[in-house]
Amino acid sequence: MDACMSVEREVDKVLQKLKDTATHTGESLEEAIVQVQAVARELEEGGYNGDVNVAQSLRLSQCLKKVQEAVNNLSAIHKDRHGSVSKVGKAIDRSFVSDFGSVLTDSAFDKELNVQEINQVIYEHFLRQGQLDIAQSLITESAVPVSDTQQEPFLELHHILESLKNHNLEPALAWAGANRKALEGQGSSLEFKLHRLHFIDLVSHGPSFQLNALNYARNFAPFAASHAKELQVLMGTLLYMKQGLDHSPYSSLLDSVHWLEICDIFTRDACTLLGLSVESPLSVVIRAGCAALPPLLNIKQVMQQRQCSGVWSAKDELPVEINLGKECRFHSIFACPILRQQSSSLNPPVRLVCGHVISQDALHKLANGNKVKCPYCPVEQTLNDAKQIFF
Ligand SMILES: [Zn+2]
């Protein structure tokens, strides 16, 4: 952030200077043109016939001098501005690290499969954003193997989301109706909330829409038991159709935040249903990378300065802990209390019969023959009694 600010300061300086230059240059040129025009007029009036007399010659050289001065002045200003612009370039070089090679795993792009997977993630990201033409170009150029069935859910989601953003509920309602059972299964109230938005929209149109609103209320029948309280509130709004909802105790229902909320709910529930991640994996990776790179580059520099760069040789493990914040935390991790190491697929956590959990390596280290004694309570058991735990 500091880096961006310092570059922005330089850019602001240049912009201000360029603005001043534009005004100044305009004025100087205008002045020079006026001078030249005046001399031309004088020559004409004095009966110019190809030869200039002494007075005219003096006048001409005076004018030439002035124009020359203006041109010199402008060229000096231009040089100065050029210096300011190149300062921005230097500020960018100074503030941002361009060499990330030191923290790269060289083999990351070696395998054909890895490249294909990266292309696939980029392709899916563009599909999610609705940038179909870019996604299509990527398929053609990189030969990502994509079937139509892979594309369809993204296209459908995008179409529905776009409609929701334009306050058109129809496609979302049709989708929610068609997937009602599955949505109910995952405890989603998406369909109810979509109907609620439509109902409120009808009520807000005033008394002439009373019958439409009442008829529409039939759509709430399947939700009578699960959303009784909310339905009571909705029916209460009918009392205020005449005087307008915005001056009623129900005015909060008109808040535009409900439209933003429904987009979020739809994205979350639809992605869960289709087995997709709510956020684009590419955005998540880039966000995590932006947070992780500065500390990694710092530690690398410190290691090089102290000549201990060999310390970080294990490329699948980071030299420092990097806190990516809650939004980048997706699953629990387990650290073995005995070995003080994070569990991995090769060394998974295991549960002992007493309920205590340690890592598999720790279990084997503690074993005495086929018997093992829990390090926290004296319960004894056989090695086979320990069960692997999956987070
Ligand atoms: Zn125990």
Side-chain angles (χ1 to χ4, degrees), residues 287-308:
R287 201 168 59 221
C290 289
L293 269 179
L296 285 181
L297 287 167
N298 272 344
I299 193 98
K300 188 80 192 176
Q301 207 174 6
V302 172
M303 282 175 171
Q304 271 164 359
Q305 276 166 4
R306 298 196 181 163
Q307 293 176 343
C308 54

Side-chain angles (χ1 to χ4, degrees), residues 331-332 334 343-345 348-351 357 387-391:
H331 57 81
S332 307
F334 175 78
S343 60
S344 64
S345 52
V350 288
R351 180 191 184 276
V357 180
K387 296 262 182 296
Q388 188 177 338
I389 284 189
F390 296 88
F391 285 103

Side-chain angles (χ1 to χ4, degrees), residues 17-307:
K17 277 191 175 180
L18 286 179
K19 210 170 140 195
D20 295 345
T21 312
T23 331
H24 184 78
T25 312
E27 280 169 9
S28 306
L29 287 176
E30 200 72 37
E31 224 170 87
I33 291 169
V34 170
Q35 290 272 350
V36 173
Q37 279 172 343
V39 172
R41 211 171 32 246
E42 278 171 32
L43 280 177
E44 221 167 89
E45 282 165 9
Y48 175 66
N49 53 6
D51 292 324
V52 286
N53 58 33
V54 182
Q56 284 171 334
S57 154
L58 193 69
R59 184 80 180 88
L60 272 174
S61 60
Q62 270 176 351
C63 173
L64 201 66
K65 211 173 157 193
K66 280 204 171 147
V67 172
Q68 195 75 49
E69 264 173 27
V71 170
N72 286 345
N73 194 11
L74 288 180
S75 118
I77 293 176
H78 182 79
K79 251 185 209 161
D80 177 64
R81 300 305 175 259
H82 192 271
S84 306
V85 172
S86 62
K87 260 190 200 168
V88 176
K90 279 178 197 151
I92 292 174
D93 289 345
R94 206 173 43 241
S95 309
F96 297 98
V97 184
S98 52
D99 178 22
F100 298 110
S102 58
V103 291
L104 259 185
T105 309
D106 301 331
S107 57
F109 303 104
D110 276 0
K111 288 184 197 149
E112 178 63 22
L113 185 69
N114 293 359
V115 175
Q116 213 173 70
E117 279 175 351
I118 291 168
N119 282 334
Q120 180 94 24
V121 168
I122 299 174
Y123 161 75
E124 278 189 15
H125 178 81
F126 285 125
L127 273 190
R128 276 168 187 266
Q129 302 286 317
Q131 289 167 314
L132 308 182
D133 44 347
I134 303 181
Q136 201 55 49
S137 305
L138 183 66
I139 294 181
T140 325
E141 286 172 24
S142 67
V144 183
V146 184
S147 64
D148 282 352
T149 44
Q150 251 174 305
Q151 283 192 42
E152 267 164 30
F154 290 107
L155 300 184
E156 195 182 9
L157 286 191
H158 182 71
H159 165 66
I160 297 175
L161 256 183
E162 280 303 299
S163 309
L164 275 181
K165 281 178 191 160
N166 294 322
H167 292 204
N168 174 10
L169 292 163
E170 293 303 323
L173 273 169
W175 185 88
N179 293 288
R180 184 178 294 162
K181 273 252 137 46
L183 284 171
E184 270 171 17
Q186 63 189 45
S188 157
S189 52
L190 173 71
E191 196 183 357
F192 170 75
K193 286 184 172 161
L194 288 167
H195 281 305
R196 182 169 69 176
L197 271 175
H198 197 162
F199 181 77
I200 293 298
D201 188 47
L202 289 173
V203 173
S204 67
H205 277 77
S208 56
F209 275 73
Q210 196 168 32
L211 202 61
N212 299 38
L214 280 171
N215 280 332
Y216 195 80
R218 292 197 181 121
N219 287 307
F220 290 125
F223 310 104
S226 54
H227 295 82
K229 265 252 145 61
E230 286 124 308
L231 281 174
Q232 283 169 4
V233 173
L234 284 181
M235 294 310 122
T237 60
L238 290 169
L239 295 172
Y240 291 89
M241 277 190 94
K242 211 168 180 180
Q243 70 175 75
L245 271 193
D246 36 354
H247 300 298
S248 77
Y250 301 106
S251 57
S252 64
L253 287 171
L254 293 172
D255 201 323
S256 59
V257 77
H258 295 297
W259 285 96
L260 295 177
E261 195 187 69
I262 203 75
C263 291
D264 283 347
I265 296 174
F266 172 77
T267 312
R268 204 185 54 224
D269 290 355
C271 285
T272 312
L273 196 76
L274 296 167
L276 303 169
S277 57
V278 175
E279 270 193 87
S280 147
L282 185 65
S283 325
V284 175
V285 167
I286 289 180
R287 201 168 59 221
C290 289
L293 269 179
L296 285 181
L297 287 167
N298 272 344
I299 193 98
K300 188 80 192 176
Q301 207 174 6
V302 172
M303 282 175 171
Q304 271 164 359
Q305 276 166 4
R306 298 196 181 163
Q307 293 176 343

